[in-house]
Amino acid sequence: MELNSQQLSATHHMDGPCLVLAGPGSGKTAVLTSRIDALIKSGIPAGEILVITFTKAAAIEMKERFDRLSDNIYPVTFGTFHSLFWGILQKEKGLKSSDILLGNERLKIIKEAMIKANLSCDDSLMLTLMSTELSNANNACIPIEQYEPKYVEKQDLLVFNRAFREVKTKYNLLDFDDMLVKAYELFKERPEILAKWHARFKYILVDEMQDMNELQFQLMIMLSKPNNNIFCVGDDDQSIYGFRGANPKIMQNFVEVYPDCKTIILEHNY
């Protein structure tokens, strides 16, 4: 498709932070794929470009659209937050897929942690609420001691959190949240490792920014330094992942973190 003036402005943005506000039907995917193409044509090595989406399906679709647009097959990295940071943990800490807690196995570990914490594990709703509250604290990037739960007693959550960590350590297992939490801790504790990934990904593009939570935002801030070549596209009128701790105010926070950012509004609805 032929790009309009706002789309072209976003596509040809090169260095520094940029926030693109794009509602449904505004051609944001075309902008993202065209910008990747423009970066490569400007001389940026494709291997230094990272594109983050919120689902595996969206990452695959984005890659396929870019491949159709470009003349060649380029080694641009397309992935989700979890696939990216899980890959980093695998490389830096030698973790493997069998270390991840999934499905019924995760439920068994939660029950064991509830028993260890002297909390009732007979109520399935309570298991879900305890797990959800803990996940919300992690995604908000708030120390558990400072987090105020809505659906469970704070003291119960503190005791459960300690027991859950101990049980996971006992079996050398990580859950879904740990993929991001452990990466965040790794970057804070090992600046030389963060510097290595700075050098690996020098241009970062994020789709559906309104669905980003605070932990994901902090990881992007860390990863984009020192050049701050971070390009985010979001719709400030919607957030479909609120149940996962998404925070649409992240877009306002983006402007505060990067006061020199360029803001582009895609107003035309196709």
Side-chain angles (χ1 to χ4, degrees):
M1 70 183 264
E2 186 174 340
L3 302 181
N4 63 38
S5 59
Q6 288 114 341
Q7 291 171 327
L8 284 171
S9 178
T11 294
H12 294 295
H13 174 83
M14 288 291 120
D15 297 325
C18 182
L19 174 63
V20 178
L21 300 178
S26 60
K28 66 183 180 65
T29 303
V31 165
L32 284 162
T33 53
S34 296
R35 180 170 186 258
I36 299 165
D37 188 55
L39 286 171
I40 293 171
K41 287 177 178 174
S42 76
I44 304 301
E48 294 180 359
I49 300 172
L50 168 66
V51 184
I52 295 290
T53 66
F54 274 81
T55 67
K56 183 178 178 181
I60 292 171
E61 180 187 358
M62 187 84 69
K63 182 181 187 310
E64 289 175 345
R65 288 188 62 169
F66 170 68
D67 288 344
R68 288 196 298 270
L69 176 69
S70 60
D71 300 327
N72 231 318
I73 300 299
Y74 293 103
V76 176
T77 298
F78 293 84
T80 65
F81 279 100
H82 286 88
S83 68
L84 168 67
F85 290 106
W86 174 241
I88 289 174
L89 288 175
Q90 286 179 301
K91 287 181 173 65
E92 300 297 345
K93 304 192 78 170
L95 299 176
K96 51 191 183 299
S97 297
S98 58
D99 296 326
I100 303 174
L101 270 173
L102 295 172
N104 290 334
E105 186 181 11
R106 184 174 187 274
L107 182 59
K108 284 167 56 179
I109 295 297
I110 290 174
K111 285 183 177 180
E112 183 173 338
M114 292 286 280
I115 293 170
K116 184 179 179 68
N118 291 319
L119 299 170
S120 172
C121 64
D122 297 328
D123 185 346
S124 59
L125 176 60
M126 183 54 65
L127 296 180
T128 299
L129 290 176
M130 198 69 75
S131 175
T132 298
E133 291 283 16
L134 183 55
S135 185
N136 286 344
N138 287 330
N139 289 331
C141 217
I142 298 174
I144 193 68
E145 295 78 15
Q146 298 175 21
Y147 176 72
E148 295 298 331
K150 295 180 181 179
Y151 305 110
V152 301
E153 294 295 328
K154 182 168 183 175
Q155 187 56 37
D156 289 346
L157 183 63
L158 291 173
V159 175
F160 169 72
N161 174 61
R162 185 165 54 249
F164 191 40
R165 294 182 65 163
E166 289 173 355
V167 174
K168 285 187 293 184
T169 300
K170 171 183 169 184
Y171 296 115
N172 293 313
L173 293 170
L174 303 176
D175 69 356
F176 205 58
D177 289 343
D178 289 327
M179 294 182 192
L180 302 188
V181 172
K182 296 296 183 184
Y184 179 76
E185 292 172 350
L186 178 67
F187 282 172
K188 290 194 74 172
E189 295 165 5
R190 300 283 302 279
E192 75 280 7
I193 289 178
L194 177 56
K196 183 168 77 172
W197 291 95
H198 284 160
R200 173 70 171 81
F201 297 122
K202 293 182 180 175
Y203 288 81
I204 300 171
L205 296 83
V206 182
D207 190 18
E208 306 289 5
M209 188 197 184
Q210 75 278 356
D211 295 323
M212 190 185 294
N213 61 46
E214 184 63 27
L215 177 56
Q216 291 164 341
F217 185 43
Q218 292 302 319
L219 281 164
M220 285 295 96
I221 292 172
M222 296 168 86
L223 199 57
S224 66
K225 291 179 180 178
N227 298 320
N228 296 333
N229 293 325
I230 181 166
F231 181 94
C232 292
V233 179
D235 180 357
D236 58 355
D237 288 333
Q238 66 171 326
S239 177
I240 64 172
Y241 286 109
F243 64 94
R244 291 186 187 169
N247 179 8
K249 292 181 180 177
I250 287 291
M251 284 185 283
Q252 179 181 336
N253 297 345
F254 185 90
V255 176
E256 294 172 358
V257 171
Y258 302 107
D260 60 334
C261 82
K262 183 175 183 178
T263 301
I264 300 169
I265 302 175
L266 303 186
E267 296 175 305
H268 189 83
N269 188 328
Y270 291 93

